[in-house]
Amino acid sequence: MKRIQLCIAAALVTVIAAGCATPGPVSGTEVTRFHRGDTIPAQAINLEPADAADAESLEFNTYKGIIADELGRLGYSRAEGDQADLLAIIGVSETIEIQEAKRSPFSIGFGGGSFGSSGGAGVSTSTNVGGSGGGEVVVTQLEVQLVSREERNVLWEGRAVRSTLPGSGEQPLATMQRLASALFMDFPGKSGSTVEVE
C-alpha cells in the first residue's frame, strides 16, 4: 500500500511542478479588425505613430520595423515622408491590470491508509491543478489604421491585445512580433469579429 501511495504522490508532485513552472502568457493574442470589404491594393506605405511624440523613439522605431516587415509580407513597400498615398498609423500601449483569481476546473486527489490488527488510520490529499491566483497582468496592445493620405479615410483598422504575467520571461520585442503577426494574419480578416491566436 505504501508503495502505491508513494507512486501516486510522485506523480502528483510532477503535475504540481509542471503547473508551477515559469508562467507563460495569461491567454493567447486577441485580434479584432474592421473594414468595409474594399480591396486595399499593395502599394507604397508610410508608417507613422498615432502620437507624434513617439516619432523619434528608439522603441517605437523598432516596433515600426516589425510592422513594416508584416506589411512587406503582404506586398506593401515601406516609404518615408509623404512619398506614399497610404498611411499606417500605429499606436502601442502597455498597462498593468488586476486579474481576478480563477478556480481550476478540476483537481487531483489521492488517499490511502494502513490497517493492522489494532485498528486503522487514513489520510487523503487534494490539490487544484491549473486555474489562476489572480493578481497583476501586463496587457500590451497594438493598434494599426490604414488611412488614405489624401482623403484621410480609414480603410482598415485592427487591434491586437496580449496579456502576460510579470516575470513570464516573454520579452517586449517578442510580444510585439506576436501581436503584429496575429494582427495581419489572414489580412484583411473578418470585419467586426474577435479571434484568439496562440
Side-chain angles (χ1 to χ4, degrees):
M1 178 67 74
K2 286 185 177 180
R3 184 175 181 181
I4 294 174
Q5 290 177 6
L6 288 173
C7 289
I8 296 174
L12 184 60
V13 168
T14 301
V15 171
I16 294 172
C20 295
T22 302
V26 175
S27 64
T29 301
E30 289 190 346
V31 178
T32 307
R33 293 167 285 199
F34 296 95
H35 55 85
R36 299 175 299 185
D38 300 335
T39 300
I40 308 174
Q43 56 188 287
I45 187 169
N46 177 232
L47 286 72
E48 299 181 356
D51 184 348
D54 291 332
E56 301 303 321
S57 163
L58 179 60
E59 181 180 37
F60 172 78
N61 280 283
T62 300
Y63 294 161
K64 183 169 74 170
I66 292 172
I67 296 162
D69 288 343
E70 289 297 323
L71 289 169
R73 183 178 58 81
L74 297 172
Y76 294 88
S77 57
R78 183 173 174 178
E80 299 297 335
D82 58 358
Q83 299 175 23
D85 294 327
L86 188 64
L87 303 176
I89 309 299
I90 304 165
V92 178
S93 65
E94 183 180 282
T95 58
I96 303 295
E97 297 183 4
I98 302 299
Q99 183 184 60
E100 293 184 2
K102 295 181 180 178
R103 184 175 175 80
S104 169
F106 64 94
S107 62
I108 292 178
F110 67 91
S114 58
F115 297 89
S117 59
S118 60
V123 294
S124 63
T125 303
S126 176
T127 183
N128 290 324
V129 178
S132 168
E136 292 185 347
V137 293
V138 181
V139 180
T140 308
Q141 179 170 290
L142 168 65
E143 292 183 286
V144 177
Q145 290 184 328
L146 300 185
V147 181
S148 61
R149 181 185 295 277
E150 188 173 345
E151 295 86 6
R152 305 301 295 187
N153 290 333
V154 178
L155 306 177
W156 179 94
E157 61 182 320
R159 177 179 66 251
V161 182
R162 186 171 179 83
S163 300
T164 57
L165 295 173
S168 67
E170 183 168 294
Q171 298 300 312
L173 192 60
T175 298
M176 187 55 54
Q177 288 171 330
R178 287 178 178 272
L179 288 169
S181 176
L183 186 60
F184 292 104
M185 182 179 293
D186 300 324
F187 180 83
K190 185 177 179 180
S191 183
S193 66
T194 299
V195 298
E196 185 168 308
V197 181
E198 290 298 330

